[in-house]
Amino acid sequence: MTMARPGGRTARVRAAVVRAVGDALVEHGLAGVDLADVARRAGVGKTTVYRRWGTVAAAVAELVDDMVETSVPRAATGDLESDLRANAELVRSTLADPRQGRLLTALIGAARADERTAAALRRFYDARVREWEPCVAEAVSRGELPAGTDPAEVVRAVSAPLYYRLLTHGELPTEAARDRAVAAALAAARAGVYVV
Amino acid sequence: MTMARPGGRTARVRAAVVRAVGDALVEHGLAGVDLADVARRAGVGKTTVYRRWGTVAAAVAELVDDMVETSVPRAATGDLESDLRANAELVRSTLADPRQGRLLTALIGAARADERTAAALRRFYDARVREWEPCVAEAVSRGELPAGTDPAEVVRAVSAPLYYRLLTHGELPTEAARDRAVAAALAAARAGVYVV
DNA sequence: TAGCAAACGGGACCGTTGTTCCGTTAGTCT
DNA sequence: AGACTAACGGAACAACGGTCCCGTTTGCTA
C-alpha cells in the first residue's frame, strides 16, 4: 500500500535541511545560498535536497512555513501603553538579535522574488499581528481609543518605524526608537487616524 | 603617460552595465543576478565586467551610487499637510511603479549583505529626507509643530508605514494608505513625539 | 595626425552547481 | 517478524559561471 511517511528519517532530514538553509541565509544572505552547500551543511546527500526542494526558493519557503508555526505569546497587562511597549520591545530585540534580525531581513528580500515565500511571510506577520490585536481591541472597548479603531493597524504602526530604519539605514533599533514608535502609534491612534 | 579615461567608450560600457544590473535585479531579484548574464544583456565582453567590478555586490553598489545622483525636487506649498502628502505621494508612486518598486526592494535586500551597497543606500535615503526636511522645519518655525521637533524624523515617519506594508505583506501602497501615513505622522508630530 | 597606453573582447580553461542513474537504507503494514 | 516500498545517498555526467591569456580597439596627448 502507498502511504505518506511523515516520521523518522524523512523528518530528520527535513529538519536538518531547513536549519541549514537558515544558517546559510544568516551567513551569506539570499544571494549566497546554493543547495549543494546546504546539503553539505545538513550532512545530507545533495541528491536528496535537489529531489525534495529543487530550488533555493522552495527550501526558503519551507523555512518560513516552519517559522509561522512557532508562536511567541504576548504580554497583557491591561494597560495599552505597556502592552504596546512590550510588543515594541519584542520586535526591537528580535531585529537586534544577530541571527533573527539577519534572517528576517533576508526573508523579506526573498519574498519579493518568490510568491510562495511571500505568502508564508504574510502568514507569519499576520499571526504576530493577530496575537497582539486584543490588547488594542480591549483598549478600544475601555474607551481609551476612538470607537472603530482598527486594532491591527495600530499594532503594525508600532513595528513600521523600527523595520524602516533597519532596512533603509541598517540601524539596529534602539530603546529610544522603540519608545518613540510606541508614542507615535499611540498619538495617531488617539487622534482617530486608524478609525475605519 | 598614465591617465584616467573617464569619457567615451569606458563611460558607455559603464552605463550599459549599470543599466543591465538594474534590469536583472528587477527581473530575478538579487539572487538571480550573475555577471555573465549582465555582460550578455549589456552587449559587453564578460571579461570586461569581471575586470571592472568582479562581484555582483560591487556592480550593484555602483548602480546605487548612480541613483544617489538623480534628485527629485520637492514641492513646497507652504502648508505642512500638503507638503507631507506630496512627499507621501512621491513615495507611494515610486513603490507602486513596477520597475522602481522592485528595484528598491531588491536593493534593500542587497544592502544587508554588502557594506558598500548599504552605505550607498544610506546616502540615497539621507538625500531624499534632506530634500524634504525644510517643509517640516518651516512648519516648526511657523509654530505648527512643537519647537525642537526633528524634521528628518517626521519625514521618515511618513515613509515608514508604506515601506513596511510593501516589504512584509507585498502590498503596493494605496492612496488611502498614503493619506493615513500622513495623518499619523502629523498627529505624532503635533503630540511632540519627535521633539529631541 | 600619429603614436601610445588604457580599456575592451574573444576564446580556452577550470571549478562548482545542478541532474541522472542505480544501489542501499529504513519506516510501515500485514 | 518479514517483506514491501518510499526515501536517501554515492558517483558519474553535463552545463554554466568565473578566470586567464593575449590580440584588438579607442580615445587621449603631443
Side-chain angles (χ1 to χ4, degrees):
Chain A
M1 187 187 174
T2 307
M3 283 224 26
R5 296 187 177 184
R9 181 171 58 169
T10 299
R12 271 200 306 280
V13 167
R14 196 189 103 93
V17 168
V18 166
R19 176 194 309 256
V21 168
D23 290 346
L25 274 178
V26 169
E27 278 183 40
H28 319 296
L30 178 68
V33 178
D34 69 289
L35 295 186
D37 179 51
V38 166
R40 275 191 295 271
R41 287 167 184 266
V44 156
K46 195 171 57 161
T47 313
T48 301
V49 176
Y50 280 106
R51 183 174 27 237
R52 281 189 58 181
W53 290 278
T55 67
V56 172
V60 169
E62 191 138 339
L63 166 65
V64 184
D65 283 340
D66 270 21
M67 290 172 57
V68 175
E69 305 303 324
T70 73
S71 81
V72 180
R74 75 166 187 281
T77 64
D79 173 57
L80 179 60
E81 186 169 354
S82 307
D83 290 349
L84 287 184
R85 180 167 290 113
N87 178 26
E89 172 54 22
L90 180 64
V91 172
R92 188 202 66 77
S93 61
T94 301
L95 293 181
D97 175 72
R99 182 182 167 89
Q100 302 252 323
R102 283 174 189 277
L103 192 54
L104 278 177
T105 51
L107 291 175
I108 285 171
R112 288 292 294 179
D114 177 64
E115 182 44 43
R116 195 184 144 202
T117 301
L121 199 62
R122 263 196 300 278
R123 286 202 305 281
F124 175 78
Y125 281 110
D126 284 343
R128 306 292 140 143
V129 169
R130 192 167 306 120
E131 177 79 15
W132 290 85
E133 271 181 19
C135 297
V136 180
E138 286 164 22
V140 173
S141 49
R142 284 196 305 269
E144 287 186 46
L145 292 180
T149 295
D150 179 3
E153 207 56 33
V154 177
V155 174
R156 280 191 277 261
V158 171
S159 291
L162 303 176
Y163 272 84
Y164 178 74
R165 284 297 271 269
L166 175 62
L167 291 168
T168 61
H169 281 71
E171 290 175 15
L172 296 181
T174 61
E175 273 92 358
R178 173 199 66 194
D179 294 342
R180 215 169 356 175
V182 171
L186 219 41
R190 286 187 182 129
V193 171
Y194 303 118
V195 172
V196 289
Chain B
M1 186 187 174
T2 306
M3 283 223 27
R5 294 188 177 184
R9 180 172 60 171
T10 299
R12 271 199 307 280
V13 167
R14 197 189 103 93
V17 168
V18 165
R19 174 194 310 256
V21 168
D23 291 346
L25 274 178
V26 169
E27 278 183 39
H28 319 295
L30 178 68
V33 178
D34 69 286
L35 296 186
D37 179 51
V38 166
R40 275 190 295 271
R41 288 168 184 267
V44 156
K46 197 169 56 159
T47 313
T48 300
V49 176
Y50 281 105
R51 183 173 29 236
R52 282 189 57 181
W53 290 278
T55 69
V56 172
V60 170
E62 191 138 339
L63 167 64
V64 185
D65 283 340
D66 270 22
M67 290 172 57
V68 174
E69 305 304 322
T70 73
S71 81
V72 181
R74 75 167 187 283
T77 64
D79 173 57
L80 179 60
E81 185 168 354
S82 308
D83 289 350
L84 288 184
R85 178 166 291 115
N87 178 26
E89 172 54 22
L90 180 63
V91 172
R92 187 203 66 75
S93 61
T94 302
L95 293 181
D97 176 73
R99 181 183 167 90
Q100 303 252 322
R102 284 174 190 276
L103 192 54
L104 277 177
T105 52
L107 291 175
I108 285 171
R112 290 290 295 177
D114 177 62
E115 181 44 41
R116 194 183 145 202
T117 302
L121 199 62
R122 264 197 299 277
R123 285 203 305 281
F124 176 79
Y125 281 110
D126 284 344
R128 307 291 140 145
V129 169
R130 191 165 310 119
E131 178 79 17
W132 290 85
E133 272 181 19
C135 297
V136 181
E138 286 164 22
V140 172
S141 50
R142 285 196 304 269
E144 286 187 46
L145 293 180
T149 294
D150 179 2
E153 207 55 33
V154 177
V155 175
R156 280 191 277 260
V158 171
S159 291
L162 303 176
Y163 272 83
Y164 179 74
R165 284 298 270 270
L166 175 61
L167 292 168
T168 62
H169 282 70
E171 290 175 14
L172 296 182
T174 61
E175 272 93 358
R178 173 199 66 193
D179 294 342
R180 215 169 358 180
V182 171
L186 218 42
R190 287 188 182 128
V193 172
Y194 303 119
V195 172
V196 289

